[in-house]
Structures are given as C-alpha cells and as structure tokens.
C-alpha cells in the first residue's frame, strides 16, 4: 500500500510478499530541469511516469511543469510568441482520455526560417507534420469562447510544418509526461501564403505529405477537431482554467493534420496545401 | 498454372459471387499461382459474367497508394471491371445482401467522352478524353474469406470490386487541381477519414493513364461513356446495415451512400 503525495511515490514489488514503498526522486522542479537538460544536451530518456506514476494522468501537475519551464526559457532570453495545440483528433483524445486539445508554448527559439535545414544536431528524433497556422488579430480569452468567436479573433491563416521532437525515448510517454515536455515541441516553419480566415474553408483545405518524393499521407483540415477553429476555441477555454489568454500577434499551431512522419538526417519533406501553398523541410 | 486450374479458380470465384459464400485465398488452393494467372482468372470470370448477360460499364484501379502497394508487396496498381448492374443511385438504400463484406472508398470518378486506347496514351491524351469528373464512393468487396487477400487474390477477384455510387455535380477538368482536392468522409455524421486526390498515384489522372496503357497492351480500349474509378483517396471503411456515408470533396461536391437496414433480416 502506498500514499500518494505531491512529490510522488512508487510501489516496488520484489518477490511475492515483499512490498517496499519508495519515495520517487522526481518532483515538478526536477522533472522540469531534466527535460530542459535533455533538450539542451540532445538526449532522450524514459518517461518520468515510469518512476512517478502520479504524473501519468495528473494534467494540472504536468501543466505546472510546462509553465515553470516556460518561465525558465523566458529567463534565459527567449520570447513567448504563441501556442501549439496537440492531440486535436477526436479519436486520439478518446484514446488518451481527454476531451480537448493539449496546449504548449512557442518561443522564438523554435522558429525555423523558411529554407533553413532541419537542425538535426539540435534535435533527438525529429518528425514532421503539416499544420494549419493562425496569427491572432485580437486578444482571445475564455471561458465560453465558441469556434465562430475564435475565428473572428484570427487575423490570418497560413500553412505550416511542425518539426516535433520528444525528450522521451521512442516517443513513449503518457499524457502527463508529454504535457510536461511542452507537447514535444521542436521547431516550426510557416508557408508562403497568408489568407484572411473568411476567405478559406479550413475543413475542406487539403494537404499532401511527400517524404523523399513519395506521397505518404493526405488529409483535410476537418481532421483537426472537425475544424481548426473548434480546436482553437477548446484550447482557449482550457487556457482560461489557468487564467491565461491569447494575445494579439500570437501564433497558434493548430495541431498535426496527419500523423507525424520521421525525418532523420537526409530526409526531404514537401507539404502541399490546396490554397495555402507548398512548404519544404530538409536536412543533409 | 495449368489452364484447367485457372478455369477452376474462375468458376470458384463466379460461384462465390453468385452465392455470396466467400472462398479461401487462392494462394492456399493453387500453390504456384502468379500475377499473370490472376489476370487470366479475372478475364475468365468476366467472360462468364458476360455470358450471363452482364455489361461492362467501366474499370476500376486498385492498390493506387504507395502504402497499399507496399502492404501487398507490389510496385504498381491493379485493375478490375465495373458492370452496369453495380451502379447504385445516391440516397437509394443499397441492399447489403448483394455483397459479402463490403467496404467503402471515396474516389474522384472519370467519365470518358471518347475512347482511350493504349499503350501510348499520354497525360494530355487522358485529359482530352475526360468529359467530366464526379464525386464517387466505390463499394469494394472480397469473394475471399475475411479479406485475407494477397496480390493474386485481389487481381483474380476482379480487383475486389463491388460497385459504385456516383454523386455530383459533374465538373470539367479545366481549372481543377485534382491532386489538391480534399475529401472528408462521414459515416452517420461522424468524420471517419480524410484525404486528398494526390494520394492516388500522385494524381488520379496518372491512374487513368496507367489503366489505358496497361489495358492497351492487351488490346482493350477504354470506351466513351465509361466510368473509370482511379483509386481511393484514403483507407476504406467498413459498412454496417443502416449506415449512411457521405464523402465531401473540396470544390467538387459530394456523394452519399445509404445502406439498407436490418428490417426483415430476422424474418
């Protein structure tokens, strides 16, 4: 038997009867430190929830770790420029037991300028996914925001490619682990076409994903919570629970439209949208 | 494979289709069957159907995505025949007892305005032969038990064809980029898949060129007025009695298939 505390405990079983309760070495502070260290040193690790089961499903705890690491990023000179959404397909949400997208922070250190190679030496095991990207025109604060209201606060819509990376070996993690890890943030780049939100049917907007010249995937914007505006509204309402809002000028990555495709060194990826143009990502 | 064995396999598939009783994979019954045998078996089966009064109204291309080809261990698509009695109307309940284990695939269908004869068809030739495109849902089905198909099974089995539902409106090709036409498929109101035209061999038009040239080598011409199903833009979905499936194609319109319910099934 074990009692869960804020620092976490794990039950170790050795043999038939011997049950030993050990204090987890992890707490919010040390998990945050270790995650940033993994990122800076380009190394992966096992998920913390293996040793600290409480983190597996405690999303409030996980977001506290994420927020604490945002503060550390800002303290070391990075600028907060927006948010990224994750787990935006209803099927995936049902699988991990949540009913709205995951949210994580974007800083200027995560921007990959158009035409620059994927910085393989700074990433552990990058994967790429196509995204629909919003640039906010107005402040947007929940709760109670609807998709229509959320879209009215969007200034422009672009195509994008997110290069996700995970500090967890083989991308194996539970929901709390991945939220703490800023939802596998890596780099992102935006496309050449920018349109006002009332000039595009985002549910019908299609994307083709081409890896090393082969078309490997395709989808439409409807794969994002039936409409990316729906995902934005849900995310803003979730942020409001922590007293947070979206600011004018912020970028919102609305989540992978297809599955994420591995992009090891030497991979070239082309992402082609119906109206939002083509974006290429590559590395030698 | 001996001619008599090919004939026996064709007879088995013909009977499976007639009785809706699927058969074991052909590879289990005929050990040295290959792709050439499989197409011969398909043709023998088609001859039986023609003798039975069926009329060919078009062709279908299958295995048109890189992922499906890899799954089947091949590097090109396959094709089958489409018969007049396999054209279902939108919103008219499709009897499930006409099929064994049906699935649905959304496709951008071509209707030809003139004959297209390979084997020297180019992309412009194909574009010139297309009257218009239609949103469509292909019913795929397998006469092989539990869909346990390999490449030779599906080819011999008329490329797992089952039928087609055509939607609207008809659109001419001018100004359309079929590669970037998106498709969102709904089953009973819920999104069950999304995809885009480029998932079909890079473009559905490539599929049409491939089919014309492949059939052309056997002296077969794609005829004016015929319907060509170039391949699915996403994974197939399973169908249950009473299902209502709609595929919305960006800028092309939509198509809806309704399947008959269980009424009377217990009687």
């Amino acid at each position: 038997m074990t009692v869960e505390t804020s620092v976490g405990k794990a039950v170790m079983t050795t043999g038939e009867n011997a049950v030993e309760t050990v204090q987890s070495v992890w707490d919010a502070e040390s998990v945050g430190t270790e995650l940033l260290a993994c990122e800076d040193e380009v190394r992966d690790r096992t998920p913390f929830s293996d040793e600290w089961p409480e983190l597996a499903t405690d999303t409030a705890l996980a977001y506290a770790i994420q927020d604490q690491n945002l503060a550390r990023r800002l303290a070391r000179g990075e600028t907060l420029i927006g948010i990224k959404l994750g787990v935006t397909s209803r099927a995936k949400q049902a699988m991990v037991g949540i009913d709205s997208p995951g949210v994580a922070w974007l800083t200027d250190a995560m921007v990959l300028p158009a035409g620059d190679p994927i910085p393989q030496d700074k990433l552990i095991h990058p994967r790429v996914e196509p995204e629909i990207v919003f640039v906010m025109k107005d402040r947007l604060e929940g709760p109670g925001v609807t998709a229509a209201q959320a879209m009215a606060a969007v200034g422009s819509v672009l195509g994008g490619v997110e290069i996700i990376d995970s500090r967890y070996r083989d991308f194996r993690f539970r929901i709390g682990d991945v939220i703490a890890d800023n939802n596998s943030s890596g780099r992102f780049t935006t496309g050449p076409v920018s349109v006002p939100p009332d000039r595009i049917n985002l549910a019908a907007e299609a994307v083709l994903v081409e890896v090393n010249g082969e078309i490997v995937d395709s989808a439409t914007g409807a794969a994002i919570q039936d409409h990316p505006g729906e995902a934005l509204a849900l995310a803003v309402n979730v942020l409001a629970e922590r007293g947070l809002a979206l600011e004018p000028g912020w970028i919102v990555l609305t989540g992978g439209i297809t599955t994420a495709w591995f992009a090891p060194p030497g991979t070239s990826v082309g992402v082609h949208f119906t109206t939002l143009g083509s974006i290429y990502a590559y590395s030698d | 494979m001996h001619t008599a064995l090919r004939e026996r396999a064709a007879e088995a598939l013909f009977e499976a289709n007639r009785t809706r009783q699927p058969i074991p994979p052909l590879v289990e019954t005929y050990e040295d069957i290959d792709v050439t045998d499989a197409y011969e078996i398909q043709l023998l089966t088609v001859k039986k159907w023609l003798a039975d009064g069926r009329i060919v109204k078009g062709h279908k291309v299958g295995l048109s995505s890189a992922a499906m080809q890899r799954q089947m261990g091949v590097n090109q698509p396959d094709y089958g025949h489409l018969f007049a009695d396999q054209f279902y109307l939108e919103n008219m309940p499709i009897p499930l007892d006409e099929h064994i284990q049906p699935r649905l695939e959304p496709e951008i269908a071509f209707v030809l305005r003139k004959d297209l004869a390979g084997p020297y068809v180019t992309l412009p030739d194909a574009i010139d032969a297309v009257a218009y495109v239609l949103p469509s849902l292909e019913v795929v089905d397998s006469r092989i038990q539990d869909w346990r198909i390999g490449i030779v099974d599906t080819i011999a089995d008329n490329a797992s064809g089952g039928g087609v539902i055509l939607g609207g409106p008809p659109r001419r090709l001018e100004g359309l980029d079929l590669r970037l036409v998106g498709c969102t498929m709904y089953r009973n109101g819920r999104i069950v898949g999304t995809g885009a035209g480029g998932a079909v061999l890079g473009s559905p038009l490539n599929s049409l060129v491939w089919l014309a040239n492949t059939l052309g080598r056997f002296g077969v011409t794609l005829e004016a007025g015929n319907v060509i199903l170039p391949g699915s833009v996403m994974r197939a979905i399973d169908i249950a009695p009473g299902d209502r499936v709609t595929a919305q194609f960006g800028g092309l319109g939509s198509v809806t298939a309704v399947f008959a319910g269980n009424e009377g099934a217990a009687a």
Side-chain angles (χ1 to χ4, degrees):
Chain A
M1 198 182 128
T2 180
V3 178
E4 299 288 339
T5 72
S6 62
V7 286
K9 281 183 178 179
V11 179
M12 306 286 287
T13 309
T14 47
E16 287 233 330
N17 303 312
V19 175
E20 185 194 352
T21 303
V22 294
Q23 194 81 21
S24 166
V25 299
W26 298 109
D27 60 14
E29 169 92 23
S30 58
V31 164
T33 304
E34 170 69 359
L35 280 170
L36 276 188
C38 284
E39 194 174 316
D40 293 341
E41 294 159 22
V42 196
R43 62 178 166 85
D44 60 9
R45 55 157 299 116
T46 53
F48 300 101
S49 61
D50 283 357
E51 300 159 65
W52 188 16
E54 191 179 347
L55 181 62
T57 54
D58 189 342
T59 54
L61 171 61
Y63 276 116
I65 297 169
Q66 194 194 92
D67 288 349
Q68 169 199 299
N69 271 2
L70 171 67
R72 287 170 167 168
R73 289 179 203 272
L74 301 183
R76 71 186 187 188
E78 294 176 36
T79 305
L80 174 60
I81 58 169
I83 61 167
K84 68 186 227 80
L85 313 186
V87 204
T88 46
S89 101
R90 289 175 195 270
K92 236 191 266 175
Q93 286 166 6
M95 229 160 63
V96 297
I98 54 177
D99 54 12
S100 55
V103 182
W105 301 110
L106 293 177
T107 75
D108 60 337
M110 299 172 193
V111 175
L112 180 66
D116 276 14
I118 297 169
Q120 294 283 354
D121 58 334
K122 297 194 175 71
L123 300 168
I124 301 163
H125 39 198
R127 292 183 183 187
V128 295
E129 51 187 39
E131 307 230 356
I132 287 167
V133 182
F134 295 149
V135 180
M136 301 305 296
K137 175 181 61 180
D138 303 322
R139 189 166 196 274
L140 189 61
E141 184 174 16
V145 170
T146 69
Q149 291 167 329
M151 289 312 295
V154 171
S156 56
V157 179
L158 299 92
V161 169
E162 186 180 8
I163 296 137
I164 62 166
D165 201 14
S166 175
R167 269 51 67 179
Y168 301 113
R169 200 158 300 147
D170 303 324
F171 278 76
R172 183 177 73 83
F173 46 68
R174 297 173 190 88
I175 185 74
D177 294 306
V178 69
I179 289 171
D181 187 28
N182 205 38
N183 283 341
S184 309
S185 61
R187 298 290 188 280
F188 73 94
T189 190
T190 52
V193 180
S194 171
V195 298
D198 55 356
R199 298 300 299 273
I200 183 170
N201 179 350
L202 285 177
E205 179 74 5
V207 67
L208 282 179
V209 181
E210 181 189 339
V211 176
N212 296 330
E214 182 180 285
I215 289 165
V216 294
D217 216 339
S218 68
T220 67
I224 306 294
Q225 208 85 44
D226 287 27
H227 188 287
E230 202 65 55
L232 176 62
L234 285 166
V236 163
N237 292 333
V238 166
L239 279 174
E241 292 169 15
R242 288 190 276 153
L244 302 169
L246 298 188
E247 302 298 333
W250 275 17
I251 286 169
V252 179
L253 304 185
T254 59
I257 314 174
T258 67
T259 47
W261 290 86
F262 274 113
T267 306
S268 74
V269 178
V271 161
H272 312 283
F273 288 92
T274 313
T275 57
L276 297 176
S278 292
I279 302 160
Y280 297 90
Y282 70 99
S283 65
D284 297 320
Chain B
M1 195 173 165
H2 196 274
T3 316
L5 288 179
R6 285 176 176 170
E7 180 59 42
R8 196 192 296 170
E11 182 63 24
L13 285 165
F14 180 86
E15 276 306 297
N17 185 62
R18 193 180 65 80
T19 60
R20 316 292 174 211
Q21 295 299 317
I23 58 174
L26 298 177
V27 283
E28 291 178 9
T29 313
Y30 310 94
E31 276 173 12
D32 52 357
I33 183 172
D34 61 19
V35 166
T36 308
D37 296 320
Y39 275 117
E40 285 300 326
I41 293 165
Q42 183 188 132
L43 278 179
L44 288 170
T45 317
V46 168
K47 278 181 189 152
K48 290 175 188 294
W49 282 323
L50 294 177
D52 223 22
R54 292 184 97 179
I55 292 163
V56 174
K57 268 292 192 181
H59 286 85
K60 63 155 288 181
V61 177
L63 308 180
S64 52
S65 76
M68 280 175 66
Q69 288 177 17
R70 203 170 294 123
Q71 195 184 316
M72 287 284 170
V74 294
N75 56 14
Q76 56 172 338
D78 67 353
Y79 67 85
H81 295 70
L82 201 53
F83 294 92
D85 56 277
Q86 293 181 308
F87 284 70
Y88 297 99
L89 291 174
E90 265 198 304
N91 295 305
M92 304 277 280
I94 298 167
L96 275 173
D97 59 10
E98 290 187 4
H99 301 280
I100 299 170
Q101 38 196 347
R103 293 176 177 170
L104 276 185
E105 297 180 337
E107 312 198 11
I108 298 168
F110 296 111
V111 181
L112 301 184
R113 55 184 277 269
K114 55 167 147 174
D115 288 359
L116 195 55
Y120 303 112
V121 166
T122 62
L123 183 67
D125 294 334
I127 290 170
D128 189 46
V130 173
Y132 51 88
V133 295
L134 290 173
S136 75
L137 282 166
E138 184 188 357
V139 181
V140 291
D141 197 3
S142 183
R143 271 57 60 178
I144 306 296
Q145 289 166 1
D146 306 317
W147 276 98
R148 285 190 294 129
I149 56 170
I151 181 68
V152 297
D153 296 297
T154 186
I155 290 173
D157 185 25
N158 198 26
S160 307
V164 66
I165 304 96
L166 297 170
R171 289 227 190 273
R172 297 169 61 86
L173 280 180
E174 284 80 3
L176 285 182
D177 186 345
L178 295 184
R179 299 170 298 180
L180 293 172
V181 167
C183 176
T184 305
M185 184 155 59
Y186 299 80
R187 178 172 55 206
N188 306 323
R190 226 177 262 259
I191 293 176
V192 287
T194 72
V200 182
L201 290 183
S203 165
L205 281 164
N206 292 345
S207 190
L208 179 58
V209 172
W210 177 85
L211 179 67
N213 287 333
T214 303
L215 286 177
R217 281 191 281 275
F218 300 110
V220 178
T221 296
L222 300 180
E223 290 175 20
N226 274 6
V227 171
I228 309 299
L229 302 178
S232 182
V233 304
M234 68 182 75
R235 277 179 53 183
I237 60 158
D238 289 326
I239 292 303
D243 275 352
R244 181 183 177 84
V245 177
T246 295
Q248 289 276 356
F249 290 83
L252 283 194
S254 70
V255 53
T256 296
V258 178
F259 290 85
N262 269 328
E263 312 87 29

